[in-house]
Amino acid sequence: MYKNLFTSESVTEGHPDKICDAIADAVLDAILENDKHSRIACEVAISTGLVLVMGELTTSHYADIASIARKTINRIGYNSPKWGFNGNTCAVINAVTEQSADIAQAVNKNDSLGAGDQGMMFGFACRDTENNMPLPISLSHSLAKKLAEVRKNNTIPYLGPDGKTQVTIEYDKNNNPLRVDTIVVSSQHSEDVSLTTLKNDIIEKVIKTTVPEKLLDASTRFLINPSGRFIIGGPVADTGLTGRKIIVDTYGGYANHGGGSFSGKDPTKVDRTGAYAARYVAKNLVLAGLLDKVEIQIAYAIGVAKPVSIQINDFGTAKIPISKIVDAVNDCFDFEPKSIIERFQLLNPIYRQLSSYGHFGRTDLDLPWEKDDLSKDLKKYKR
């Protein structure tokens, strides 16, 4: 029988790609903490016993990049030989160079900031969850965070830092979420634990304490470590790269993504700033009651402050004409990078905390682009 299904995944902070994102954002925070006007684009690659930090930087502040990388790795949980990778002993290569003068002159304007690059960014919001996120990615993040929590507080002490989660939701014919069809959890574990013990612990202490009971039924499938064995994990098992989990960072594939990653980039880079702005506007449009589901695309040209285009997709849920919604957005929000940076105070060192479990819908963090303060201005357009 046909089912209307959609699946999203998340990963824990010990996943190799997320280690890279965490290091890149930790470097960014350290630079911004001492020089808010720094320009940085930091990329990281990681493999067995090796961390490579690269990118471009303009700043008045020196940062001990090797020390930042080691502290970040240790904080995640790779702080001893047990899991095959150790922040205390791995090699760290610093290949960060000076930023291109051509890019700098395009971005730095007398009275404004030009966009740090060309590209398109997307923002999305819906009414499926309390945090206005699609349900599959929201539950996947919650499960991934729970995996880390039960590892760190010794509820399940034999788990390793690396892990992945995946949630499949069944929707009705109107695309309203009905139930959880399948949950997949893969977690690194010590060699001395049986698969039966692992399955029982994950189901009882991770899934059932995280996923609302009303979404589970007798037909919901739990696939726990379906490969049967996950002892070797982290950078020993897979090479990690910055920006390789951009779908995890955003909407789990339920909405479009422009392709640019967030981590390691200062806020003049519109891949990050524009995506935050688009999410903020999308969420406030939904909370203002102008529509039930919306995706906003904005696009920039390098060195140009104003977007070259803004497009709104209402998925047929708009309560007023789209033209009026576009007018409301243009009247109430300024998409120039300088305005976005000032509104959200993006020169503050807030980025390391965002490197895992998504940049949107974070009820555990006080993020300015998740606030609903624009909705009161947008509500007047509903009349």
Side-chain angles (χ1 to χ4, degrees):
M1 187 178 85
Y2 170 77
K3 292 182 180 180
N4 182 10
L5 304 174
F6 192 88
T7 302
S8 293
E9 71 159 354
S10 183
V11 298
T12 66
E13 60 214 63
H15 186 282
D17 295 333
K18 279 295 154 196
I19 300 173
C20 294
D21 287 344
I23 294 171
D25 280 330
V27 171
L28 172 62
D29 278 355
I31 296 293
L32 290 179
E33 190 171 6
N34 291 277
D35 180 1
K36 292 184 181 296
H37 300 290
S38 298
R39 300 284 184 267
I40 182 168
C42 183
E43 305 281 352
V44 180
I46 195 168
S47 189
T48 305
L50 175 65
V51 179
L52 173 60
V53 185
M54 38 196 168
E56 300 78 46
L57 172 64
T58 298
T59 186
S60 62
H61 171 69
Y62 167 78
D64 188 344
I65 289 177
S67 177
I68 293 168
R70 294 185 190 282
K71 288 178 181 177
T72 303
I73 294 165
N74 287 336
R75 190 185 304 118
I76 289 169
Y78 294 105
N79 52 10
S80 73
K82 179 178 181 180
W83 301 112
F85 193 85
N86 188 347
N88 298 305
T89 59
C90 65
V92 180
I93 299 175
N94 179 3
V96 176
T97 60
E98 188 175 353
Q99 183 190 39
S100 163
D102 291 345
I103 295 176
Q105 63 85 28
V107 175
N108 299 324
K109 306 290 185 179
N110 291 329
D111 57 348
S112 66
L113 287 173
D117 201 352
Q118 70 176 49
M120 63 280 190
M121 302 86 222
F122 290 88
F124 178 84
C126 63
R127 294 193 179 278
D128 290 358
T129 58
E130 290 184 2
N131 61 358
N132 301 110
M133 291 288 287
L135 185 57
I137 189 64
S138 184
L139 289 179
S140 293
H141 282 324
S142 295
L143 288 168
K145 282 190 284 188
K146 192 67 173 184
L147 270 182
E149 178 187 320
V150 298
R151 168 176 65 90
K152 292 176 180 179
N153 67 17
N154 287 320
T155 298
I156 309 182
Y158 55 78
L159 295 184
D162 196 359
K164 303 180 78 171
T165 62
Q166 184 172 287
V167 177
T168 301
I169 298 295
E170 181 180 352
Y171 290 81
D172 65 19
K173 62 181 180 180
N174 296 316
N175 284 321
N176 298 308
L178 288 175
R179 55 181 290 276
V180 173
D181 184 83
T182 305
I183 293 176
V184 183
V185 178
S186 294
S187 183
Q188 186 183 17
H189 59 89
S190 58
E191 193 167 9
D192 57 352
V193 65
S194 70
L195 183 58
T196 299
T197 297
L198 179 86
K199 285 182 176 179
N200 289 337
D201 281 346
I202 294 294
I203 291 172
E204 295 300 323
K205 300 175 183 179
V206 176
I207 295 175
K208 290 187 177 180
T209 61
T210 303
V211 180
E213 186 178 0
K214 64 182 181 181
L215 294 174
L216 304 174
D217 57 37
S219 298
T220 300
R221 294 189 301 164
F222 299 141
L223 302 178
I224 313 301
N225 279 29
S227 67
R229 181 180 170 92
F230 189 1
I231 296 168
I232 302 172
V236 177
D238 287 301
T239 298
L241 292 171
T242 311
R244 198 159 58 178
K245 288 292 178 285
I246 56 177
I247 299 302
V248 172
D249 287 339
T250 52
Y251 306 101
Y254 197 88
N256 284 308
H257 194 296
S261 68
F262 300 159
S263 290
K265 295 179 179 178
D266 75 77
T268 65
K269 278 70 173 178
V270 286
D271 282 329
R272 167 170 245 154
T273 309
Y276 292 170
R279 162 63 179 176
Y280 174 72
V281 173
K283 180 176 179 178
N284 277 271
L285 284 170
V286 170
L287 293 176
L290 300 186
L291 26 65
D292 294 328
K293 181 187 294 187
V294 64
E295 180 183 82
I296 297 176
Q297 185 208 58
I298 55 176
Y300 292 90
I302 188 170
V304 180
K306 290 188 178 298
V308 298
S309 68
I310 300 174
Q311 193 264 353
I312 294 177
N313 180 3
D314 73 324
F315 303 96
T317 69
K319 314 300 182 186
I320 61 175
I322 285 290
S323 60
K324 197 171 181 181
I325 294 177
V326 172
D327 289 341
V329 170
N330 286 325
D331 290 346
C332 297
F333 192 82
D334 184 352
F335 284 98
E336 290 192 20
K338 181 180 180 182
S339 177
I340 298 170
I341 290 169
E342 290 175 351
R343 183 165 196 147
F344 297 154
Q345 298 183 325
L346 295 179
L347 296 179
N348 291 325
I350 60 170
Y351 299 105
R352 167 64 182 88
Q353 63 184 343
L354 296 167
S355 59
S356 298
Y357 314 120
H359 292 243
F360 308 121
R362 295 293 297 271
T363 56
D364 57 323
L365 301 174
D366 184 22
L367 301 176
W369 53 90
E370 289 296 318
K371 295 187 182 302
D372 62 358
D373 54 329
L374 188 67
S375 62
K376 63 180 181 298
D377 295 325
L378 292 168
K379 284 178 181 178
K380 65 185 179 183
Y381 291 88
K382 195 175 180 181
R383 302 187 191 117

